[in-house]
Amino acid sequence: MHETWTIERMARELSLSRTHLTRLFTRHTGVPPMRYLTETRLTEFTRLIEETDFTIERAARTVGWSDPRVASAWFYRRYSCTPSQFRLNPQPHQGDEDPVPGWKANGR
């Protein structure tokens, strides 16, 4: 998760075309590969913000976002508050049930 990935790199590693990889991945998970990676990063980022004293920057880098502003933007989209605001006033995980269309709690 912490590595920089692209569809092209994943497809090359698997000896598939980008289109075929995306089609297969989406069929089996319900979401495209990069969206899956983003959701995985966001879930772990949220856990780090909640359960550790990592800075926002360190938590972002730990999950693979080199720019903490990217992590904060995704976090804000999900929770309608910044990671810093969340730490000051933790709230129930609104939106965790279905963070993206087709995303289910069991990962499919």
Side-chain angles (χ1 to χ4, degrees):
M1 152 178 42
H2 67 277
E3 292 184 29
T4 303
W5 280 96
T6 64
I7 297 295
E8 290 79 12
R9 181 175 171 197
M10 286 191 291
R12 191 172 46 251
E13 292 282 331
L14 296 168
S15 300
L16 297 171
S17 73
R18 177 183 168 198
T19 303
H20 192 60
L21 170 62
T22 300
R23 187 178 312 119
L24 287 173
F25 196 95
T26 303
R27 182 183 312 147
H28 290 283
T29 66
V31 294
M34 297 314 290
R35 186 60 184 227
Y36 185 90
L37 178 60
T38 298
E39 289 300 327
T40 301
R41 284 178 171 163
L42 182 55
T43 298
E44 181 63 6
F45 177 77
T46 302
R47 186 192 71 75
L48 292 171
I49 294 303
E50 266 189 311
E51 298 177 7
T52 72
D53 60 355
F54 282 10
T55 64
I56 304 305
E57 182 176 1
R58 182 174 177 196
R61 289 186 192 286
T62 298
V63 302
W65 280 313
S66 59
D67 186 343
R69 293 173 296 185
V70 172
S72 292
W74 280 108
F75 190 92
Y76 192 86
R77 279 185 179 179
R78 166 125 4 124
Y79 298 111
S80 300
C81 68
T82 67
S84 298
Q85 291 168 333
F86 184 85
R87 273 192 163 153
L88 294 174
N89 186 18
Q91 53 189 309
H93 290 231
Q94 302 166 3
D96 271 358
E97 299 78 32
D98 190 15
V100 293
W103 184 269
K104 304 294 182 219
N106 66 2
R108 301 185 94 194

